[in-house]
């Protein structure tokens, strides 16, 4: 099984290229649901793959000057060590509880996906500050928020692999006066550093499928370049809403919610009907819109 991994990597790469961040959160549930990975191996493979994959974006944003390095460093001061704590908790649970620990971790991943989807829903309706020159100096409050954000978010990422872009980006959007390009750049730069720590932690425990990771990279690296190009002319909000819905539905399935299959089918039908209704309204609005009359020569 090789091309299937590359195709999955291509899909994730395109999503990350389209949305900036958040698309990578789909990797873990895909590995669990479609490839039959145990949750621990899915998390480890996802983290190390993400570290390599997102480093390309981090370098690019650093060269463009869209990274707030001090803010990223303060977040990493909390997230790096706590990601190792999350990995340690996962390893202890797996050692003492075996298969039942895998079930518990799957539920934790499902909950994280639900929270990540909710975060993306919120980000779809929030707008960053237009001016990116603020926050030249970090106050004590700014540093404290960044550290404790990393502290909590790092643990979640280490345990579940979910949220390296969604949670941190959402809080930066709400708290810090940064323009969109600096939020995205700082988010990706911090995520890459965090995922290297967490990825090597799982690699040291032997919880990374290197064969799968290599073939995922074959698709994801060109995928993010393709997504970045085709995403230029696409509306951002519908993309984020679609991705958020996918994360929520994946969380429902991975967490093992009773009757999850029917919930997913119902949500897909509702989404299809809503999309059809929206298209009809748009078409009707275009038909009834007054035609502008050009002035006579």
């Amino acid at each position: 099984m090789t091309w299937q991994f590359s195709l999955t990597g291509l899909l994730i790469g395109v999503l990350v290229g389209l949305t900036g961040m958040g698309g990578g959160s789909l990797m873990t549930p895909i590995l669990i649901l479609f490839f039959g990975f145990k949750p621990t191996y899915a998390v480890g493979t996802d983290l190390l793959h993400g570290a390599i994959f997102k480093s390309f974006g981090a370098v690019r944003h650093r060269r463009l000057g869209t990274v707030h390095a001090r803010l990223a460093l303060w977040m990493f001061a909390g997230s790096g060590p706590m990601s190792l704590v999350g990995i340690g908790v996962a390893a202890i649970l797996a050692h003492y509880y075996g298969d039942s620990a895998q079930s518990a971790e799957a539920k934790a991943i499902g909950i994280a996906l639900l929270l990540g989807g909710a975060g993306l829903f919120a980000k779809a309706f929030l707008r960053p500050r237009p001016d990116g020159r603020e926050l030249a100096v970090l106050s004590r409050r700014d540093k404290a928020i960044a550290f404790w954000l990393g502290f909590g978010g790092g643990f979640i990422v280490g345990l579940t692999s979910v949220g390296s872009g969604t949670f941190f980006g959402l809080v930066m959007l709400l708290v810090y006066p940064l323009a969109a390009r600096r939020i995205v750049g700082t988010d990706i730069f911090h995520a890459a550093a965090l995922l290297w720590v967490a990825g090597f932690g799982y690699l040291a425990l032997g919880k990374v499928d290197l064969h799968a990771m290599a073939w995922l990279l074959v698709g994801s690296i060109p995928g993010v370049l393709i997504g970045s190009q085709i995403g230029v002319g696409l509306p951002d909000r519908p993309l984020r809403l679609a991705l958020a819905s996918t994360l929520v539905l994946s969380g429902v399935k991975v967490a093992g919610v009773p009757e999850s299959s029917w919930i997913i089918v119902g949500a897909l039908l509702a989404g299809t009907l809503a999309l059809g209704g929206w298209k009809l309204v748009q078409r009707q609005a275009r038909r009834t819109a007054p035609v502008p009359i050009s002035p006579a020569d």
Side-chain angles (χ1 to χ4, degrees):
M1 185 180 294
T2 53
W3 66 268
Q4 293 94 333
F5 285 122
S6 295
L7 184 61
T8 301
L10 181 66
L11 169 66
I12 297 300
V14 170
L15 283 174
V16 172
L18 288 172
T19 63
M21 291 292 284
S25 298
L26 282 173
M27 181 63 79
T28 293
I30 286 175
L31 292 176
I32 294 172
L33 296 174
F34 294 99
F35 293 102
F37 275 49
K38 289 184 177 180
T40 303
Y41 279 88
V43 170
T45 303
D46 182 13
L47 287 172
L48 192 56
H49 165 265
I52 300 171
F53 167 50
K54 289 171 184 174
S55 292
F56 287 88
V59 171
R60 177 173 175 270
H61 278 282
R62 182 64 175 165
R63 288 177 176 173
L64 291 173
T66 55
V67 175
H68 196 302
R70 290 189 300 277
L71 180 59
L73 181 62
W74 275 101
M75 289 192 293
F76 183 70
S79 64
M82 285 306 295
S83 69
L84 297 178
V85 174
I87 294 168
V89 170
I92 291 171
L93 290 173
H95 177 74
Y96 285 103
Y97 298 101
D99 291 339
S100 59
Q102 297 289 340
S103 176
E105 186 166 4
K107 293 185 183 299
I109 293 170
I111 293 171
L113 288 168
L114 292 172
L115 293 174
L120 272 181
F121 270 118
K123 285 177 71 175
F125 293 98
L126 293 174
R127 293 186 179 275
R129 312 291 176 87
D131 186 1
R133 293 175 296 177
E134 297 96 335
L135 211 63
V137 178
L138 291 177
S139 66
R140 181 176 297 181
R141 171 183 173 273
D142 294 329
K143 295 174 182 177
I145 292 173
F147 175 82
W148 289 110
L149 169 61
F151 190 90
F155 178 80
I156 295 172
V157 170
L159 183 63
T160 68
S161 84
V162 177
S164 62
T166 306
F167 299 143
F168 292 97
L170 176 61
V171 174
M172 282 194 291
L173 193 63
L174 292 171
V175 174
Y176 297 111
L178 294 171
R181 63 186 184 279
R182 298 200 75 192
I183 290 176
V184 172
T186 305
D187 198 3
I188 292 179
F189 189 83
H190 167 260
L194 169 59
L195 293 180
W196 274 114
V197 174
F200 271 115
Y202 273 97
L203 183 64
L205 294 174
K207 301 296 185 182
V208 177
D209 189 325
L210 293 173
H211 174 267
M213 186 195 74
W215 283 104
L216 287 168
L217 288 169
V218 170
S220 62
I221 292 175
V224 72
L225 300 176
I226 295 171
S228 299
Q229 292 298 318
I230 65 177
V232 172
L234 295 178
D236 182 66
R237 182 175 293 176
L239 287 171
R240 289 190 182 275
L241 290 175
L243 179 57
S245 302
T246 305
L247 288 178
V248 169
L249 295 177
S250 299
V252 168
K253 186 67 175 179
V254 173
V257 175
E259 305 297 336
S260 59
S261 297
W262 287 107
I263 294 174
I264 292 172
V265 170
L268 290 175
L269 288 174
T272 302
L273 291 173
L275 180 62
W278 178 65
K279 286 290 187 182
L280 287 174
V281 170
Q282 275 199 327
R283 181 178 296 180
Q284 188 64 28
R286 283 196 297 267
R287 287 178 177 176
T288 57
V291 179
I293 302 174
S294 59
D297 294 334

